[in-house]
Amino acid sequence: MGLTIFSVMIGFIFVLQSATPFLLRRTIAFGVTIPESHTEDATIASFKKTYAVTIFITGLILLIAYFTWANTSSLTEEKIILTGLAIQFGIIFLSMGLYFYFHAKTTRLKRDNEWGSHLKQVRIADLAIRTKDEMLPSFLYALPMIITTGLIAYTATQYSSIPSMIPIHWGPSGQPDAFSPKTPFSVIALLLILLVIQGMMLGINAFTKKSGIKLNAAKRKTSQVQQLSFRKYTSWLLFMTSVLTTVLLGFLQLTTIHEDLGNAALMLALPLGFLLITLITTAIYAFKVGQSGSRIDAAVEEDILAGITDFDDDKYWKAGIFYVNKDDSSIFVEKRFGVGWTINMGNPIGYVILFLPLLLILTITFLL
């Protein structure tokens, strides 16, 4: 089972990574702002193609080698898992290396050719657009937290019948492979971690709703439709992830209380189903929506404005990835390379959202 799970994850990672340059706004290439008039530049196109082909072919070769090696050798499950993890990190490190290489080349290309130097930089602010925002209300994200709180109360009522050893980790087959002695804390530790995750998703949605909506100065109508679609579908994807995580961890908690609840087939199918649904919906979201809704067909009549370009905020993007702007009140901003949102590291609240959940989860794990 470990081989199947890690093969699927490796395939997902290298396909998505290789497609990333084509899922972004046309006016962003490897973290660099490109004027609308240069989005079809042949050199930029060759950078994207080289990046994509290198990642795809390397990932495909590694996947075939991994699958063949695991099926023709007598290996332990642990060795298969560790090798699968190493390949995943290898593909990510390769994509990061290529990204930084082409980021530097794109920056130099833009500077040497003085792209945008003769254009007027415009920052669009549409005050009416927020009334059309269809992101999910944050209270919906509190519903899974209510279920988790109920599970904590139910666990307390069943404390006396819970086994003396509590599972704290589950392997690829869905079976527990690590345990901790039963205490009032250990029996609800998994649910506390789930509450932290749910709280983090609620916070992300709440702060994302307040983030700025950036419109394309040259294609205002088109970008408005795309931006609203991007925000709506991102919100739905996040909510679905919160619900799926609640189902998975909530079920594992119930099997801790009632050992005969989950048979071997169900324990195997549940985490595998969670993984497949998450990967498939993420892939559909990425390829159908794209970053900033760039793959959404707006179907509106657009009068493309000449002589203007978006405000060039490259100076706030360190290496084209890390956004650091103390003057921007947004805590979350759209990614420059990848699909989704990233934190404004110039806002102290961003550090709290980034590190507090991680610290809480590590603390709960340490106390077990």
Side-chain angles (χ1 to χ4, degrees), residues 317 321-323 331-336 340-344:
W317 287 91
I321 294 179
F322 306 105
Y323 185 67
I331 296 173
F332 287 97
V333 294
E334 297 169 34
K335 285 183 179 179
R336 282 229 159 171
W341 299 81
T342 188
I343 284 179
N344 175 10

Side-chain angles (χ1 to χ4, degrees), residues 67-357:
F67 195 80
T68 305
W69 169 73
N71 277 295
T72 56
S73 306
S74 180
L75 304 169
T76 63
E77 188 79 358
E78 183 181 17
K79 195 168 186 177
I80 291 174
I81 292 173
L82 289 175
T83 304
L85 276 175
I87 292 175
Q88 290 177 44
F89 279 111
I91 294 172
I92 292 173
F93 286 138
L94 174 63
S95 64
M96 288 177 62
L98 285 173
Y99 165 80
F100 286 122
Y101 174 72
F102 285 117
H103 171 74
K105 290 181 73 71
T106 305
T107 301
R108 191 180 310 120
L109 183 69
K110 176 183 175 182
R111 183 183 61 237
D112 293 346
N113 290 281
E114 298 181 341
W115 285 353
S117 60
H118 63 290
L119 299 173
K120 180 182 180 181
Q121 294 186 19
V122 176
R123 195 196 301 268
I124 301 295
D126 187 342
L127 300 179
I129 193 172
R130 286 202 177 277
T131 61
K132 304 174 184 176
D133 196 351
E134 298 180 4
M135 290 184 69
L136 292 174
S138 294
F139 76 84
L140 281 180
Y141 286 79
L143 296 180
M145 300 179 75
I146 295 174
I147 295 174
T148 304
T149 305
L151 283 172
I152 291 176
Y154 179 70
T155 302
T157 64
Q158 301 296 314
Y159 183 79
S160 60
S161 63
I162 296 175
S164 58
M165 297 299 289
I166 305 299
I168 57 174
H169 187 270
W170 288 260
S173 63
Q175 298 300 319
D177 55 10
F179 297 86
S180 176
K182 181 176 81 170
T183 67
F185 175 75
S186 66
V187 297
I188 61 169
L190 182 66
L191 296 176
L192 294 178
I193 291 174
L194 178 57
L195 270 178
V196 173
I197 295 173
Q198 292 167 335
M200 181 178 65
M201 291 182 178
L202 188 155
I204 291 173
N205 187 72
F207 288 115
T208 300
K209 282 175 71 72
K210 296 179 180 179
S211 64
I213 304 176
K214 295 182 178 180
L215 301 180
N216 185 324
K219 294 183 176 180
R220 193 177 306 183
K221 294 180 182 177
T222 300
S223 64
Q224 184 184 81
V225 174
Q226 292 175 334
Q227 277 283 335
L228 293 174
S229 298
F230 169 68
R231 295 168 68 89
K232 179 177 69 174
Y233 291 122
T234 301
S235 181
W236 272 102
L237 179 65
L238 187 65
F239 180 68
M240 190 206 71
T241 304
S242 180
V243 171
L244 288 176
T245 305
T246 303
V247 171
L248 176 63
L249 299 190
F251 179 77
L252 292 179
Q253 178 69 13
L254 290 176
T255 60
T256 299
I257 301 172
H258 306 287
E259 291 182 287
D260 56 346
L261 182 63
N263 56 39
L266 186 58
M267 294 299 289
L268 176 65
L270 198 65
L272 186 60
F274 171 82
L275 175 67
L276 289 176
I277 293 174
T278 302
L279 294 184
I280 290 172
T281 51
T282 301
I284 292 174
Y285 162 76
F287 285 95
K288 286 291 185 182
V289 180
Q291 184 61 11
S292 304
S294 58
R295 299 180 68 83
I296 296 287
D297 184 7
V300 295
E301 292 186 7
E302 184 79 77
D303 295 325
I304 299 178
L305 303 178
I308 64 173
T309 187
D310 291 331
F311 178 76
D312 192 334
D313 59 353
D314 284 0
K315 64 179 180 180
Y316 298 119
W317 287 91
K318 309 307 177 188
I321 294 179
F322 306 105
Y323 185 67
V324 185
N325 186 356
K326 295 180 180 178
D327 298 325
D328 189 345
S329 61
S330 297
I331 296 173
F332 287 97
V333 294
E334 297 169 34
K335 285 183 179 179
R336 282 229 159 171
F337 197 75
V339 180
W341 299 81
T342 188
I343 284 179
N344 175 10
M345 304 188 83
N347 191 322
I349 299 177
Y351 289 93
V352 175
I353 295 174
L354 181 64
F355 292 113
L356 183 59

